[in-house]
Amino acid sequence: MFDTPRRGATPVRAGHEELLCALFADVLGVPRVGPDESFIGLGGDSILAIQVVSRARLAGVVVSTRDVLRKDTVRALAAAAREPESTAPRVPPRRTGTLHPTPIMHWLRELGGPVDTYHQSLVLRTPPGLDPRAAETLLQALLDTHDALRLRLPAGTDAPVWEPVVEPPGGVRAAGLIESLDATDLADDALPALTRDRIRHARRLLSPRDGVMLRAVLLDRGPDRQGRLALLVHHLAVDGVSWRILQDDLRTGWQTLSRGGEPVLDPAPTPFLHWSSVLLTEAAHGRRMAEADAWQRTLRTNPAPLGGVSTRAPGPETKECRHTLTLPPEITGPLLTAAPALVNGTVNDVLLTGLALAVLGWRGDEGSDGTGAVLVDIEGHGREDIVDGLDLSRTVGWFTTVYPVRFALGSPDLADARSGGHTVGTALRLVKEGLRAVPDHGIGFGMLRHLNSRTGPGLAGPGIPEIGFNYLGRFPMGDTADWAAAPGHDFALDDADDGLPMAHAVEVNSAAHEGPGGLTLSATWTWDRDAYPADRVKALADEWFAMLTAIVAHTELPGAGGLTPSDVSHSEISQADLDDFASQLGELL
């Protein structure tokens, strides 16, 4: 399973440790992982951690997402791993029937505008010889396994109240959902244009009212060449993590089918319908309602541009503009590995530190209140451990959370920050601690805003932050293996017909891509032309990348990094105490 360990490297132990080392290497796209290495130190993030958990479960090993992210080494994670429970739950969770709309479903409904074609898509390389019949068999296995793909809105998306229903397995047939094209004589470079054209056609056939949440396009290139399979799924039924689950299942299903077997996929331990009931119950719990005052303080009015609450109500006349930038491998690599490790943090800590500093620099003195406040709506993957006994690592659905965070950076020396000075380290620690103070990665905000009639009106009143941020995680690019993402297509970005309003005046969606030349970070900025002119938003985008580059430069400073209060168990220790301790220790050494 492994190459021979490097001289001096700790040998890998058979069993759980060997399996987890292999899974880390596969998910992170690196040649080999040793037992003394950590997931975060190798550039892992929470979305990839869920993929590790899912693949480990399929291999008969149970680990938690939290442990994958927090254990210092693979060896420590292996020690915490356990075997799957042999007994089924006394009362199996309900998988079909009426579903309580989740917070993100309410969020979409409140946006207004047409949402019938609001979808995500993924184009995959298919094995040579995958014909229409085999594709239909695989898609039927996905439909029968993953309940969210059988979601239906009987009253339609224009109804004032959504009442989703999950149909039973077999209730949605794959046969009528696939368009098959003979592409035997088509050259590789002609595939993307044809695929994009058929995706545009297929998305018009999505119909939540009729339970058509999935459409597929197969480009069959015969028995000797890889074809293409384009999958479109309505966003109500899928998110970025879900695509990784579906991709793995297509790979697993094909292995069985190509050997003459019938693909039967493992069901999700926690169904999406059960999760929706958990959220509804949790929204009324006293511990969750106690968060409401803190969320109200976060949303308090602040007139600074891109630092306060927008009173602009996006509508169908929103004029959407886009701008994409890419950070090169020599910056992206250390940005996603060395920089988070500097403060025992995450990729989000680093990216949001750069964004907060960029907003302050972009804003200048205009609207400054001395607190250096920057208010951002953050998207999270939403698969949080809020109730014991749940396992969402194989659950397909739209789990996304959206929650506001206010960063208060004071009056940082922005010139020093742009040069990678100690201002960067201070900002990193402040942003990290600000994010750690958010309970359960913000999942409570959506529950209190959309599922609780007592707290919802108060949280709806102030409006939303002007800027929205989303980091989609890492995606392999250039992989030529069967079922890998095909070139020429964006991975799982949202798309819809004109008329769907923007939620924020400015939105930035970023993702890391692993290609032959290394790891790159791409960021797509979208904005309402009536809210900000293009040159202003492009200047902010440039400033963000400049600050991210400065963070990488900061990692080279002697003594950079260190612990923050959330790293220690003593609740009364401050950042100043930790800095004094580090200084004294440095003098002793």
Side-chain angles (χ1 to χ4, degrees), residues 268-285:
T270 301
F272 188 66
L273 191 146
H274 181 68
W275 172 248
S276 74
S277 298
V278 168
L279 293 180
L280 188 65
T281 301
E282 181 74 7
H285 199 288

Side-chain angles (χ1 to χ4, degrees), residues 81-92:
R82 62 188 190 280
E83 302 296 329
E85 295 182 9
S86 57
T87 58
R90 189 170 301 172
V91 180

Side-chain angles (χ1 to χ4, degrees), residues 19-30:
L19 171 71
L20 291 170
C21 282
L23 286 178
F24 274 31
D26 188 35
V27 169
L28 294 169
V30 296

